[in-house]
């Protein structure tokens, strides 16, 4: 798994920096090409020569030095199969979360398309500071894998949560992330996102509170696992994700047309979109003027895309529920002929519509029920894709 992989190992200025030497050595022994990038603070704790001796490769300590050695941050970023930052200080985590790229390590991370693992190490008080927690949550939401820290003795002599995880755990995470980073390669995954808008007149529509975040997280996670991804999205305020074919639609009918076309070569369809169940029967051609005290709109059913669309691909639906979560989801799984359904609890503000996090239960047609804790939408996406990969491979 590690043979012939290029690992960028970022070492920042925690006292645990000396442990990174063991990590560099073990990765090298496993056959990886290890390019070590040290922050200025890290070089005060361990010498670059240590890493150069262990990896047999140049060690980069500044943006300026890199231009002399010819190994710039873009080259490092482009050639990396994975980036591992161990140990990662609160400072490095904060700069990455803010998108600051003022040294070789942060510039490389900002420029890379490779997966990134972060192994934090710091005093427990810094780790528990809400700012650090928030920064880590942001990185997690962008798809970074965070390993640790663990509880134990800290450099200050205190005990608490802030100690770097064991090197073997970091190597296990590297293997796991590398395996995942290619498990959808050669597959075409179609994802829907956002809430459809059903016009009442040229100025108004029937809509819902979907922000598109869940669908975007799925599309980005599938892309990062090597899939060719088509994202069919109802209107959202989210920026267009790179490396993904984006098809913009407005109504349920338009979404159906786009889905039918896109699934022709697909391995899986994942419908995270909140599709309207009803649309105005006769949308007005001109803006409806305020006249009588009341207004009655006649609504008719929209096409049920998931039920209608047929093929040999894996079908995954969502069920946004405010009560009887599992029972309602189970009904939809059967009615719509799905392989999986993701039951989405929308009663909590941090779950479902608009939130950055989500709390879901995954049901399959064999009757298995997997309840996940509250996690970032990106992490939810990874867990769903873990299940999709299993189904795609056994189809
Ligand atoms: O976009 P976010 O703000 O991140 O919020 C995420 C979410 C809450 C929208 C998402 O996680 C979610 O639950 N999406 C499905 C919402 C929904 O429409 O659920 P439903 O129970 O009404 O529909 C069940 C399934 O059938 C869904 O997969 C839906 O896409 C699909 N459907 C629904 C109606 C219809 N006419 N055609 C469909 O294919």
């Amino acid at each position: 798994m590690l043979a012939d992989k290029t690992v960028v190992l970022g070492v920042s200025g925690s006292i645990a920096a000396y442990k990174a030497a063991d990590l560099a050595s073990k990765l090298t022994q496993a056959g990886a090409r290890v390019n070590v990038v040290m922050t200025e603070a890290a070089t005060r704790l361990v010498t670059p020569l240590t890493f150069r001796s262990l990896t047999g490769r140049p060690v980069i300590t500044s943006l300026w030095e890199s231009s002399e050695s010819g190994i710039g941050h873009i080259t490092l970023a482009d050639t990396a199969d994975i980036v591992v930052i161990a140990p990662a200080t609160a400072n490095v985590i904060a700069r990455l979360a803010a998108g600051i790229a003022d040294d070789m390590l942060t510039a490389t991370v900002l420029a890379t398309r490779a997966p990134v693992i972060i192994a934090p190490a710091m005093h427990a008080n810094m780790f528990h500071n809400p700012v650090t927690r928030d920064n880590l949550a942001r990185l997690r939401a962008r798809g970074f894998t965070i390993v640790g820290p663990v509880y134990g003795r800290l450099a200050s002599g205190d005990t608490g949560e802030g100690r770097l995880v064991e090197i073997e755990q970091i190597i296990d995470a590297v293997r796991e992330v590398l395996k995942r980073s290619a498990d959808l390669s050669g597959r075409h995954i179609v994802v829907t996102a956002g809430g459809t808008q059903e016009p009442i007149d040229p100025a108004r529509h029937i809509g819902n509170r979907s922000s598109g975040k869940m669908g975007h997280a799925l599309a980005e996670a599938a892309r990062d696992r090597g899939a060719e991804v088509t994202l069919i999205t109802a209107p959202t305020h989210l920026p267009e994700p790179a490396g993904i074919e984006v098809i913009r639609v407005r109504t349920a009918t338009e979404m159906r047309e786009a889905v039918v076309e896109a699934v022709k070569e697909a391995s899986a369809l994942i419908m995270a979109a909140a599709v309207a169940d009803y649309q105005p029967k006769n949308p007005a051609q001109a803006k409806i003027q305020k006249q009588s005290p009341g207004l009655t709109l006649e609504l008719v059913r929209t096409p049920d895309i998931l039920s209608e669309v047929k093929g040999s691909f894996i079908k995954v639906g969502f069920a946004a529920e405010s009560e009887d979560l599992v029972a309602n989801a189970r009904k939809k799984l059967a009615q719509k002929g799905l392989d999986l359904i993701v039951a989405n609890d929308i009663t909590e503000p941090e779950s479902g519509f608009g939130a950055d996090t989500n709390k879901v239960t995954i049901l399959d047609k064999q009757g298995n029920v997997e309840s996940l804790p509250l996690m970032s939408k990106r992490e939810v996406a990874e867990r769903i894709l873990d299940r999709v990969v299993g189904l795609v491979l056994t189809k």
Side-chain angles (χ1 to χ4, degrees):
M1 166 69 63
L2 282 163
D4 290 330
K5 295 290 181 200
T6 300
V7 181
V8 169
L9 172 59
V11 184
S12 65
S14 150
I15 195 70
Y18 75 94
K19 296 183 183 173
D22 187 27
L23 178 58
S25 169
K26 290 201 164 107
L27 290 170
T28 306
Q29 285 172 44
R33 255 182 312 279
V34 183
N35 292 324
V36 176
V37 179
M38 301 177 77
T39 63
E40 204 271 324
T43 61
R44 293 174 182 251
L45 296 158
V46 192
T47 70
L49 184 60
T50 305
F51 289 102
R52 193 180 311 158
S53 309
L54 290 167
T55 63
R57 301 181 62 76
V59 173
I60 298 148
T61 56
S62 88
L63 277 166
W64 308 113
E65 180 198 330
S66 74
S67 53
E68 279 163 32
S69 67
I71 311 174
H73 61 285
I74 299 298
T75 311
L76 270 183
D78 279 350
T79 53
D81 291 300
I82 191 163
V83 177
V84 184
I85 308 177
T89 58
N91 180 29
V92 160
I93 289 166
R95 278 155 54 228
L96 290 174
I100 294 170
D102 59 354
D103 66 6
M104 191 61 180
L105 177 54
T106 48
T108 304
V109 174
L110 202 69
T112 195
R113 295 289 304 275
V116 181
I117 293 180
I118 291 192
M122 64 194 75
H123 191 272
N125 292 352
M126 293 172 89
F127 176 65
H128 287 292
N129 188 300
V131 176
T132 307
R133 310 296 295 206
D134 191 45
N135 288 334
L136 281 168
R138 271 206 238 170
L139 295 179
R140 220 177 255 122
R142 280 189 218 150
F144 288 36
T145 301
I146 317 292
V147 193
V150 288
Y151 186 90
R153 190 170 187 285
L154 306 171
S156 60
D158 299 331
T159 44
E161 204 178 358
R163 203 178 152 82
L164 187 73
V165 291
E166 295 300 322
I167 295 307
E168 281 65 29
Q169 269 177 274
I170 300 176
I171 294 174
D172 284 350
V174 171
R175 288 186 205 280
E176 190 53 42
V177 171
L178 280 175
K179 190 169 98 197
R180 189 199 263 172
S181 72
D183 60 9
L184 283 173
S185 129
R187 305 287 179 173
H188 178 206
I189 307 290
V190 179
V191 179
T192 67
T196 64
Q197 299 180 350
E198 311 302 327
I200 296 170
D201 68 15
R204 307 177 180 96
H205 62 253
I206 296 174
N208 63 67
R209 291 172 39 229
S210 171
S211 63
K213 288 179 186 172
M214 191 63 242
H216 272 241
L218 278 158
E220 288 169 13
R223 172 201 63 198
D224 294 346
R225 294 167 82 136
E228 179 203 332
V229 181
T230 302
L231 175 65
I232 300 169
T233 178
T236 74
H237 296 293
L238 300 174
E240 201 159 291
I244 289 174
E245 182 196 18
V246 179
I247 298 174
R248 298 188 177 280
V249 298
R250 185 173 178 212
T251 63
T253 306
E254 287 171 17
M255 185 169 276
R256 176 186 54 183
E257 275 163 36
V259 168
V260 167
E261 193 52 37
V263 291
K264 284 183 179 154
E265 304 286 321
S267 297
L269 166 66
I270 309 176
M271 290 226 21
V275 185
D277 288 320
Y278 293 91
Q279 63 193 9
K281 186 176 180 192
N282 296 309
Q285 295 307 307
K287 187 179 168 197
I288 300 170
Q289 299 298 324
K290 204 182 338 172
Q291 284 161 347
S292 49
L295 173 70
T296 303
L297 284 175
E298 189 180 351
L299 302 180
V300 292
R301 289 290 301 267
T302 54
D304 187 326
I305 305 168
L306 263 180
S307 300
E308 277 185 21
V309 73
K310 302 271 187 289
S312 60
F313 50 86
I314 300 298
K315 262 210 260 186
V316 182
F318 273 70
E321 303 295 342
S322 55
E323 55 186 358
D324 298 332
L325 183 74
V326 171
N328 284 341
R330 194 171 276 138
K331 241 185 268 165
K332 289 178 185 172
L333 175 84
Q335 279 167 359
K336 295 179 188 244
L338 307 178
D339 295 280
L340 288 180
I341 193 154
V342 183
N344 203 151
D345 182 347
I346 57 164
T347 57
E348 305 287 339
E350 66 272 21
S351 174
F353 292 104
D356 291 327
T357 47
N358 213 356
K359 190 165 186 304
V360 305
T361 300
I362 304 177
L363 289 81
D364 64 21
K365 57 182 180 188
Q366 287 74 32
N368 300 308
V369 177
E370 183 189 7
S371 290
L372 301 178
L374 185 73
M375 47 178 77
S376 72
K377 282 188 171 163
R378 174 64 186 236
E379 286 172 299
V380 170
E382 298 288 3
R383 299 294 284 267
I384 295 167
L385 291 178
D386 287 344
R387 300 290 296 271
V388 169
V389 167
L391 291 167
V392 164
L393 294 182
T394 53
K395 187 99 181 169

